[in-house]
Amino acid sequence: MKWPRLLLSFGGLVLLGIAAGAGGVLIPSQINDYRVDKVTIGLLFFSFSAGYLLSGLANGALVARLGVRGQLTAGTATYVASALAIGVRPPFVLLVALSVVSGAGSGVIDAGFNAFVTSMPDHTSLLNYMHAFFGVGALIGPLLASKMLVAGFLWQDVYLVLAAIATPLLIGCATLLPRRVPPPLDAEPGAPLAQAVRRRAVWYAAIFLCLYVGAEVSVGNWGYSFLTQLRGQGALLAGSVVSVYWLGLTLGRFLINTVASRAGVGVAAMMYTCLAGMAVAVLVAWWGPGPALAILGFGLLGFFLGPVFPTTVAVMPRLTPARLVPSAVGFLVGMSVVGGAVFPYVAGALAQGLGLGSLMPYLLLLAALQVGGWWVIARRLRAAAQSGGSGDAGIALSPAESPAGFPGAAAGPG
């Protein structure tokens, strides 16, 4: 059953990718339909991320109570129901509320499949491949949404298509996944989420992924508007350029980790190279005249961003004990989507006040912050390797450094 279950995991990330890729294309239509500005439409980012965060925090508890099959079946059913409800074009206030539900379902799918694949052998490669299929979906999403809009369909019709795509995934989760995954050898009673969020390494990784997802989603959500409103490109061409961005993300996840492994390049060096490549790609997309360099810049941007998320998730078993990995991964996924709300919202606010030309320098700032974040994580990986363990030594927070008092972080539940 390994390969059918892996293919199901890949399908779950394809669904999330289609939804993410289509979302940015739909923003101008939603702004016009509801007659709101770029700042107001950002409420959808926050509501979606709130549901995502809550489901991510509950990942460990949901797996313990419902099992892998029950957890992912419930999450997928929640997503299908929310997509159908959005597909009838609810009032804006209800749309914001439904975005919370949609985020919760998406978060269960994301955290559930990440934790499930992390429990498998050779999970670093498998996670990169799985997240590459997110890129496959995100490549399809902008083309699907832009072609539907050009063909005369309404923006909400895209959500009905998403519900139809998610239905086979729902059936697969209910029939193919194991009811339970055997507990790790070091499992012991306790509240794993509370233990996970008492570890500095988990917080460092969560903050780093906040920055990463903020950059990834800012490009996905505002790249289409940047190309159409600032660069004057047509709807189909702009949608194609955004799809090239997601294509680059897909290829990066398929290729970079594989090439780095064969060349003997370590994880830390690979990640620094990717972050430097992100900065160069932003400069190409920003200063390059004409659509050709825009396509190149967006494609390279996605390519170098590709391995960042799955590689960060993959190193968690080196930074935290096995019994805490599902809760730690759920926390990372949930917290990362906070960045996927806050930073695109800030990008929209900057675009509202300064113009869409502010997008590219904003992305350069996020790239610089990610370099600093990865430097901290790389130090923890070296310390864990020297201690010969899973990161227990020197990483746990002392009682005086609990999450409520951790600089720059919000208190976590438990």
Side-chain angles (χ1 to χ4, degrees), residues 19 92 104 137 158 178 183 245 254 282 292 368 381 394:
F92 187 74
V158 177
Y245 163 70
F254 275 123
V282 169
L381 288 171

Side-chain angles (χ1 to χ4, degrees), residues 9-54:
S9 303
F10 297 163
L13 271 290
V14 169
L15 171 66
L16 297 181
I18 293 174
V25 175
L26 299 180
I27 286 176
S29 298
Q30 292 171 327
I31 289 174
N32 292 333
D33 187 13
Y34 289 107
R35 298 182 181 180
V36 296
D37 58 22
K38 295 181 178 68
V39 175
T40 304
I41 205 70
L43 293 174
L44 297 179
F45 305 155
F46 282 104
S47 58
F48 183 84
S49 70
Y52 223 107
L53 174 61
L54 291 174

Side-chain angles (χ1 to χ4, degrees), residues 5-394:
R5 288 168 178 171
L6 272 177
L7 291 175
L8 189 66
S9 303
F10 297 163
L13 271 290
V14 169
L15 171 66
L16 297 181
I18 293 174
V25 175
L26 299 180
I27 286 176
S29 298
Q30 292 171 327
I31 289 174
N32 292 333
D33 187 13
Y34 289 107
R35 298 182 181 180
V36 296
D37 58 22
K38 295 181 178 68
V39 175
T40 304
I41 205 70
L43 293 174
L44 297 179
F45 305 155
F46 282 104
S47 58
F48 183 84
S49 70
Y52 223 107
L53 174 61
L54 291 174
S55 64
L57 293 175
N59 187 57
L62 288 172
V63 172
R65 180 177 293 273
L66 302 177
V68 174
R69 180 186 297 181
Q71 175 218 22
L72 282 164
T73 300
T76 309
T78 300
Y79 180 85
V80 170
S82 65
L84 290 172
I86 294 174
V88 300
R89 199 274 182 193
F92 187 74
V93 173
L94 186 54
L95 175 64
V96 173
L98 286 169
S99 294
V100 178
V101 181
S102 178
S106 300
V108 170
I109 295 170
D110 196 349
F113 280 126
N114 270 284
F116 177 60
V117 174
T118 300
S119 68
M120 296 180 175
D122 194 26
H123 59 266
T124 300
S125 296
L126 292 178
L127 283 167
N128 270 279
Y129 293 146
M130 185 178 77
H131 282 270
F133 280 93
F134 175 90
V136 171
L139 168 65
I140 296 169
L143 292 174
L144 172 68
S146 58
K147 287 193 174 185
M148 286 184 67
L149 293 177
V150 169
F153 288 94
L154 301 175
W155 67 264
Q156 61 265 32
D157 295 332
V158 177
Y159 284 89
L160 298 177
V161 174
L162 290 174
I165 294 172
T167 300
L169 180 68
L170 174 60
I171 296 170
C173 288
T175 57
L176 294 178
L177 290 175
R179 296 184 184 275
R180 299 279 174 182
V181 172
L185 296 177
D186 64 346
E188 61 183 44
L193 177 60
Q195 295 173 33
V197 299
R198 287 177 60 83
R199 307 182 69 82
R200 287 178 181 170
V202 174
W203 278 98
Y204 293 151
I207 293 169
F208 175 74
L209 286 184
C210 274
L211 293 167
Y212 164 77
V213 174
E216 178 193 291
V217 177
S218 292
V219 177
N221 281 352
W222 296 111
Y224 181 83
S225 300
F226 172 84
L227 293 166
T228 55
Q229 298 177 25
L230 187 68
R231 293 293 178 87
Q233 295 184 7
L236 282 177
L237 178 58
S240 299
V241 172
V242 176
S243 288
V244 169
Y245 163 70
W246 294 115
L247 174 61
L249 191 95
T250 305
L251 294 177
R253 287 173 175 172
F254 275 123
L255 297 176
I256 291 179
N257 180 71
T258 301
V259 172
S261 297
R262 291 180 178 176
V265 177
V267 169
M270 182 190 78
M271 292 284 275
Y272 283 128
T273 301
C274 288
L275 295 173
M278 171 191 172
V280 172
V282 169
L283 293 175
V284 172
W286 185 9
W287 288 335
L293 282 180
I295 292 172
L296 177 63
F298 274 77
L300 288 175
L301 181 55
F303 182 75
F304 287 113
L305 281 173
V308 175
F309 191 104
T311 301
T312 306
V313 172
V315 300
M316 287 313 297
R318 295 162 59 182
L319 296 173
T320 189
R323 69 181 182 277
L324 302 182
V325 169
S327 292
V329 169
F331 182 69
L332 260 61
V333 169
M335 286 294 292
S336 71
V337 181
V338 174
V342 172
F343 292 109
Y345 180 86
V346 173
L350 290 173
Q352 186 72 27
L354 302 176
L356 283 163
S358 62
L359 178 63
M360 293 304 169
Y362 179 65
L363 292 174
L364 281 178
L365 174 61
L366 292 180
L369 292 173
Q370 286 176 74
V371 171
W374 181 253
W375 178 78
V376 175
I377 295 172
R379 291 183 61 196
R380 291 280 159 175
L381 288 171
R382 285 196 298 270
Q386 291 168 2
S387 69
S390 59
D392 283 308

